[in-house]
Amino acid sequence: CESPTAKRRPQAQTPRAAPQFQLETIPGPSCNSSRFQNTRLPRTWTEEEQALYDDLFSKFGVGATSFPETFRGAIGLKPEVLEAAWQVANPDLSPSPGLREFRSFCRLVGHCQAMVRDGGTGAQRRALKRGGSAMRTLLRAEEALERCPPVLIQLTSVSACSTDDKGEKNEEAA
C-alpha cells in the first residue's frame, strides 16, 4: 500500500538493442557470428597451401563428418592434438567441414608438425603431450591460424584408391 503522497521512483529506461550486422559475406559454416572463442578463420593462403589443402580436401574432406582413419593416422600426431587443432579450425563446431575449416585445420597441423620436428619450447612440448585445452590455447596464443606454417602438412604414406583411364584400380600414395 502506497500513500498517494509517496514519491514514485522513476522507471529505468531499458536501452534498445543495437542492430546486428553480418560480419562476413562468404556463405557456409564459417559465417556463424557465434564463434567459439571469437576465432576468425584466415582468408589468405599461399599458393602452395591452397593447392595442397584443396587437393587433400577433395580426397578426404568433402562431405565428411569426420576424417578417415587413414588420413588421421598419416598425420602422425596424437588424437588429442588433432582434436584440439580441429576445434580451433572449426570455431562454429560444425559437424561437417567446409573448405575454409579444412584449410585452417591443415595449417594448424603444419604448425604442430613443425613443433614436433623442431623440438618446440617447453610450453609447446607440454601442449603436444597433453593435447586438449593446452593445445587449443597454444595455437590461439601463437596466432597459428594467421600465418603459414614452417612446414606444410605432411602425410606419411596414404593410399587413395583411384581408377586409371582404362577403368582399372590403382593404389597411389598421397
Side-chain angles (χ1 to χ4, degrees):
C1 283
E2 284 187 15
S3 71
T5 58
K7 291 184 178 179
R8 289 191 167 185
R9 288 186 282 175
Q11 292 183 345
Q13 294 286 328
T14 305
R16 294 180 188 233
Q20 292 190 1
F21 297 99
Q22 188 172 350
L23 299 176
E24 292 187 46
T25 57
I26 299 174
S30 309
C31 281
N32 189 341
S33 61
S34 62
R35 290 205 160 75
F36 184 71
Q37 296 287 328
N38 294 322
T39 303
R40 290 188 179 265
L41 297 182
R43 293 180 179 271
T44 57
W45 313 92
T46 65
E47 288 181 25
E48 295 82 13
E49 279 184 298
Q50 190 168 342
L52 176 61
Y53 302 162
D54 291 3
D55 181 54
L56 291 172
F57 184 73
S58 69
K59 291 179 183 174
F60 300 108
V62 178
T65 55
S66 67
F67 300 118
E69 185 64 38
T70 54
F71 179 65
R72 288 183 283 141
I75 292 173
L77 296 172
K78 293 172 66 171
E80 297 85 2
V81 172
L82 294 177
E83 181 64 28
W86 178 240
Q87 287 181 6
V88 173
N90 184 16
D92 298 326
L93 305 176
S94 173
S96 182
L99 180 58
R100 280 182 67 198
E101 291 84 2
F102 187 83
R103 284 180 181 169
S104 298
F105 173 74
C106 289
R107 179 177 272 185
L108 293 175
V109 166
H111 282 289
C112 293
Q113 288 176 331
M115 289 177 215
V116 169
R117 179 197 69 187
D118 299 340
T121 65
Q124 290 172 337
R125 286 192 304 273
R126 283 189 297 280
L128 286 165
K129 183 177 180 181
R130 293 180 187 153
S133 64
M135 191 77 234
R136 289 190 303 273
T137 300
L138 179 79
L139 290 170
R140 287 187 181 106
E142 294 193 356
E143 298 180 346
L145 277 173
E146 300 306 317
R147 57 190 165 78
C148 181
V151 293
L152 296 184
I153 184 174
Q154 297 175 346
L155 305 179
T156 59
S157 173
V158 177
S159 294
C161 201
S162 65
T163 55
D164 62 13
D165 21 335
K166 296 178 188 170
E168 297 177 12
K169 286 192 174 187
N170 289 331
E171 293 282 327
E172 50 181 72

